[in-house]
Amino acid sequence: MSPSWDRHAIKAEVHRRGLTLVGIARARGLEPSACKVALRRRNFAGERAIADVLGVEPSVLWPERYRAGTSRRDANRISKDSLLLTRRAG
């Protein structure tokens, strides 16, 4: 598998294994859209479910969301700050 994961590569690998994002979410007792949402933006439960199915840590799939040395709370703050900056610039 490629060391570079984007949402298309993640989805393709899930499908290659005969699974669906909705199926993964339902199997974990999550909202059906949780894994689909995780491909576009932070969703800890969806990210973890996909990563577990693919046998990697979420930080491998989404390194920009899991910077070294950041806690879950800090990661949320970083994501929110980035979103605010993007909105202000646009």
Side-chain angles (χ1 to χ4, degrees):
M1 284 184 262
S2 170
S4 175
W5 292 90
D6 65 6
R7 64 187 168 96
H8 302 291
I10 294 168
K11 186 175 179 182
E13 183 60 22
V14 166
H15 287 233
R16 189 184 72 73
R17 295 177 185 219
L19 302 169
T20 65
L21 296 170
V22 171
I24 293 169
R26 286 185 176 152
R28 288 293 186 103
L30 304 173
E31 289 291 324
S33 63
C35 292
K36 190 174 180 180
V37 168
L39 291 181
R40 296 224 176 239
R41 60 184 167 86
R42 183 170 290 282
N43 181 302
F44 287 108
E47 291 169 12
R48 172 52 67 189
I50 293 169
D52 286 349
V53 164
L54 298 182
V56 298
E57 287 296 315
S59 60
V60 172
L61 299 175
W62 297 281
E64 70 283 357
R65 297 181 191 179
Y66 292 87
R67 295 181 187 158
T70 59
S71 68
R72 185 172 172 170
R73 187 178 69 193
D74 289 342
N76 268 340
R77 185 185 49 73
I78 291 167
S79 291
K80 288 177 184 175
D81 290 349
S82 298
L83 180 61
L84 287 173
L85 290 173
T86 303
R87 287 183 179 166
R88 287 179 187 158

